[in-house]
Amino acid sequence: LGIDRRTNQKTFGIKHAHDQPLTDLDFSPSKQNSMCSTGEDGCIRCWDLRRPSQSNSKIIADAHKHMALSCRYCPESDKLLATSGTDGFVRLWDTTKAFVEGNNSLARGRKGGNQGLVLACGEIERKRFDSIYSIAWCPKDRWKLGALSYDGRVIIHPVPQNVKYEILL
């Protein structure tokens, strides 16, 4: 739902943005009209707010096996998107490869594809994480991602060097 704060009037709305309730959203650091959202359906959607409709969105269907709880664009490049979910995984996506055009039924037909997945971390020393409820990029070293799991563990992930250099060069 978009609201013009000058007039308090509704400017647009997206009915059924996800198959289940939304859990988080983040705006692109470099594209003024681009926004990403996560939902309890486990999907991640990218929206162009100039044409906000489900048919104009891009989707990563089944990005998480359970609910997708959080999404954050890398502050250095909107080519990287971090997500977390109740499946206990933090995933880092290359947005130029991961998103599929189309609506839910079309995209859901392409299950099992992890195109654009750069990093998936869900365990350390053979201990599985509980749900990852929050993620944040480090303000000083903008290539590091922190995650907080339900059991209180904090996990720090650096962006892999090869991915970082691919974006910078």
Side-chain angles (χ1 to χ4, degrees):
L1 176 65
I3 297 177
D4 183 340
R5 298 303 300 166
R6 298 169 293 185
T7 62
N8 283 333
Q9 297 294 315
K10 178 181 170 183
T11 57
F12 69 87
I14 305 169
K15 288 188 178 187
H16 311 293
H18 284 261
D19 289 344
Q20 295 180 18
L22 256 61
T23 55
D24 196 15
L25 62 88
D26 193 27
F27 290 91
S28 169
S30 61
K31 294 178 185 166
Q32 176 180 349
N33 295 306
S34 184
M35 180 185 83
C36 179
S37 64
T38 57
E40 289 183 5
D41 55 5
C43 296
I44 300 154
R45 284 191 176 274
C46 183
W47 306 92
D48 182 343
L49 297 177
R50 295 169 294 187
R51 298 174 291 136
S53 70
Q54 195 178 64
S55 62
N56 285 331
S57 71
K58 296 178 184 176
I59 186 170
I60 303 174
D62 302 317
H64 289 271
K65 291 189 184 344
H66 302 121
M67 291 188 284
L69 295 176
S70 188
C71 61
R72 294 288 175 269
Y73 279 104
C74 175
E76 288 296 318
S77 173
D78 64 356
K79 291 182 182 177
L80 288 178
L81 178 71
T83 63
S84 68
T86 56
D87 58 2
F89 277 87
V90 173
R91 291 193 166 90
L92 189 60
W93 302 92
D94 178 340
T95 60
T96 63
K97 300 173 185 170
F99 286 102
V100 175
E101 299 276 347
N103 60 28
N104 274 347
S105 58
L106 175 68
R108 289 225 184 257
R110 297 183 58 178
K111 284 185 179 181
N114 279 333
Q115 292 180 327
L117 184 63
V118 173
L119 173 73
C121 184
E123 62 181 47
I124 292 179
E125 298 172 355
R126 296 186 184 162
K127 290 184 180 178
R128 292 278 310 196
F129 296 137
D130 283 340
S131 299
I132 307 291
Y133 278 91
S134 182
I135 53 178
W137 290 95
C138 177
K140 294 289 183 185
D141 181 353
R142 299 171 77 145
W143 295 99
K144 284 188 182 167
L145 176 69
L148 176 64
S149 79
Y150 177 73
D151 60 4
R153 288 190 270 181
V154 175
I155 306 105
I156 306 295
H157 300 282
V159 172
Q161 291 281 345
N162 62 326
V163 174
K164 179 180 174 180
Y165 292 138
E166 185 179 310
I167 290 170
L168 291 174
L169 301 177

